[in-house]
């Protein structure tokens, strides 16, 4: 992915201006999916490592191979690393790139949902199960049938149904599934098969899960993200259109679908009336962080909502060595979310 120059950044000064500090510093973590289970906060991030892969627009340098679960006894408590919860070597169908995961709880079991590339080079989404929120997790022998692309996020709705949201452009391969079949042409191009700028943007997907949370209960459906006039956002509207990092939370009965705009580095949101949408663009939650990627989750802890996100400030700007952070967010009277700048006075 294209690297913007960081030569001008004084990281000591930047870190003084950061609105929050890394939750852990002994390992690099990213893409935090946070949940409030059983009165504690559990964070399911990617585990960044420097695998020596060359930088490219397919994200090959994001060569993560396992997951750690972080936990916090309260929102002000120190985050604890609970060790390896799942390793790619334990997943029969997965070869590499254990990217952004999510988790869910049902009854007394915990489910870890994760994307990975199979031995055919195609991203699918898998699920692993544990009796504990911190794992270890036992993976299913095969990926979820009819799953594709990356960045699963699972909503437990008030009626007891669970919905998975997913998708990601470029290295996330969403554009290769436009016909319903994987398009393997131009394998080294991250932007082949994208729509033209004046065409509707590619859309993320949602699927209700089966009662055991191990499969899709239906064929995945596209989620429409509309502008204020009710029109689909266009592919060239890269300040607002979906790129990756789907997340869903609810507030006062409304569904908030939030996501990253990728190459423009914003975390944005859109609001709808049901889990399938459509969703109307609402604004930005987070301005760009240091590092190419931006990826988040929103977690309600008691009566407050928190944004979990990452940046590359601890690694002094290395895009694939990121650190998970957290800050409270504010829903305003009109239902919109107040935009946050990750660094004061910048």
């Amino acid at each position: 992915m294209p690297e913007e120059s960081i030569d001008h950044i004084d990281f000591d000064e930047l870190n003084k201006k950061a609105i929050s500090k890394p939750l852990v510093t002994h390992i690099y973590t990213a893409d935090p999916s946070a949940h409030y289970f059983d009165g504690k906060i559990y964070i399911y991030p990617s585990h960044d490592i420097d695998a020596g892969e060359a930088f490219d627009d397919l994200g090959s340098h994001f060569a993560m191979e396992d997951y750690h679960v972080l936990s916090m006894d309260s929102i002000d408590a120190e985050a604890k690393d609970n060790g390896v919860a799942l390793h790619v070597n334990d997943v029969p169908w997965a070869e590499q790139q254990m990217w952004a995961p999510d988790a869910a709880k049902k009854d007394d079991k915990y489910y870890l949902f994760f994307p990975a590339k199979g031995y055919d080079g195609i991203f699918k989404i898998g699920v692993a199960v544990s009796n504990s929120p911190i794992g270890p997790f036992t993976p299913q022998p095969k990926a979820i049938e009819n799953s594709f692309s990356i960045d699963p996020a699972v909503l437990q709705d008030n009626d007891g149904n669970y919905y998975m949201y997913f998708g990601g452009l470029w290295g996330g391969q969403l554009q290769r599934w436009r016909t319903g079949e994987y398009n393997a042409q131009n394998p080294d191009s991250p932007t082949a098969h994208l729509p033209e700028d004046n065409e509707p943007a590619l859309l993320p997907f949602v699927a209700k899960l089966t009662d055991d949370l191990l499969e899709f209960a239906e064929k995945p459906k596209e989620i429409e993200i509309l502008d204020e006039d009710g029109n689909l956002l266009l592919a060239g509207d890269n300040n607002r259109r979906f790129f990756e990092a789907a997340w869903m939370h609810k507030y006062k009965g409304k569904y908030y679908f939030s996501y990253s705009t990728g190459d423009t580095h914003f975390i944005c949101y859109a609001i709808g009336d049901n889990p399938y949408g459509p969703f109307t663009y609402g604004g930005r939650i987070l301005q760009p962080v240091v590092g190419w990627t931006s990826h988040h989750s929103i977690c309600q802890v008691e009566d407050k909502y928190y944004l979990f996100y990452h940046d590359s400030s601890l690694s002094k700007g290395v895009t694939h060595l990121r650190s998970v952070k957290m800050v409270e967010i504010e829903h305003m009277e009109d239902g919109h979310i107040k935009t946050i700048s990750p660094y004061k006075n910048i």
Side-chain angles (χ1 to χ4, degrees):
M1 297 177 182
E3 290 289 293
E4 280 120 13
S5 173
I6 56 172
D7 295 341
H8 64 288
I9 297 176
D10 179 336
F11 279 95
D12 291 334
E13 195 61 31
L14 180 86
N15 286 329
K16 285 180 193 169
K17 293 180 176 179
I19 60 170
S20 59
K21 304 299 181 194
L23 294 182
V24 295
T25 57
H26 66 294
I27 58 173
Y28 289 110
T29 52
D31 313 323
S33 293
H35 291 274
Y36 192 49
F37 293 145
D38 316 315
K40 287 179 68 171
I41 300 144
Y42 295 92
I43 304 149
Y44 300 84
S46 305
H47 175 203
D48 281 353
I49 58 171
D50 196 345
E53 297 286 342
F55 284 61
D56 65 25
D57 288 342
L58 292 170
S60 301
H61 46 300
F62 295 93
M64 298 88 92
E65 58 187 37
D66 65 13
Y67 297 111
H68 289 226
V69 180
L70 309 179
S71 59
M72 301 167 67
D73 288 336
S74 70
I75 206 68
D76 299 317
E78 191 171 322
K80 176 186 177 184
D81 174 9
N82 294 284
V84 175
L86 180 68
H87 195 283
V88 68
N89 292 347
D90 300 325
V91 183
W93 63 269
E95 182 182 21
Q96 60 179 342
Q97 288 174 287
M98 303 283 271
W99 284 9
D102 192 21
K105 179 188 179 187
K106 185 171 185 183
D107 299 326
D108 294 323
K109 290 195 180 299
Y110 301 85
Y111 299 80
L112 183 69
F113 303 94
F114 59 94
K117 272 186 185 169
Y119 290 89
D120 55 4
I122 299 174
F123 269 113
K124 297 286 179 68
I125 296 169
V127 57
V129 186
S130 178
N131 292 321
S132 165
I134 61 173
F137 288 86
T138 301
Q140 296 296 295
K142 294 181 179 178
I144 295 172
E145 190 175 354
N146 297 322
S147 70
F148 53 94
S149 198
I150 60 168
D151 291 356
V154 173
L155 171 74
Q156 178 185 353
D157 209 349
N158 301 73
D159 61 3
N161 287 314
Y162 290 73
Y163 299 88
M164 180 186 289
Y165 301 84
F166 62 94
L169 307 189
W170 294 17
Q173 302 178 341
L174 185 62
Q175 68 278 359
R176 296 186 175 276
W177 290 93
R178 292 178 68 181
T179 64
E181 300 284 332
Y182 183 80
N183 186 339
Q185 293 182 330
N186 306 108
D188 296 328
S189 171
T191 55
H193 321 301
L194 286 173
E196 298 297 325
D197 283 354
N198 62 354
E199 295 178 330
L202 290 180
L203 298 171
F205 281 79
V206 59
K208 185 188 288 188
L209 295 173
T210 52
D211 286 344
D212 61 8
L213 305 192
L214 299 180
E215 297 287 347
F216 292 155
E218 61 189 0
K219 183 181 178 183
K221 300 174 171 69
E222 288 183 320
I223 302 168
E224 292 187 337
I225 305 174
L226 308 176
D227 65 16
E228 57 279 5
D229 297 320
N231 300 313
L232 287 168
L233 296 180
L234 299 181
D237 188 358
N238 60 350
N239 282 333
R240 297 193 297 174
R241 63 89 177 89
F242 172 83
F243 188 99
E244 63 186 359
W247 188 259
M248 183 69 76
H249 79 282
K250 293 182 74 175
Y251 179 75
K252 292 189 173 178
K254 295 284 189 180
Y255 293 78
Y256 286 70
F257 180 75
S258 50
Y259 55 93
S260 169
T261 61
D263 54 344
T264 49
H265 321 297
F266 300 115
I267 298 294
C268 295
Y269 68 99
I271 304 174
D273 293 322
N274 70 76
Y276 293 102
F279 298 93
T280 300
Y281 180 83
R284 295 175 187 167
I285 301 174
L286 185 66
Q287 301 283 37
V289 297
V290 169
W292 198 93
T293 67
S294 197
H295 195 122
H296 72 298
S297 62
I298 295 169
C299 181
Q300 182 180 0
V301 180
E302 295 169 351
D303 61 346
K304 294 185 176 181
Y305 290 77
Y306 295 87
L307 178 76
F308 290 76
Y309 66 104
H310 69 233
D311 73 6
S312 296
S313 59
L314 183 66
S315 67
K316 298 194 183 313
V318 180
T319 276
H320 62 289
L321 297 178
R322 299 159 293 181
S323 297
V324 166
K325 297 181 163 190
M326 174 197 71
V327 67
E328 187 179 343
I329 63 168
E330 180 184 345
H331 295 81
M332 295 183 286
E333 284 294 316
D334 63 1
H336 285 83
I337 297 173
K338 192 172 182 179
T339 304
I340 293 169
S341 173
Y343 314 102
K344 298 187 192 88
N345 308 318
I346 293 181

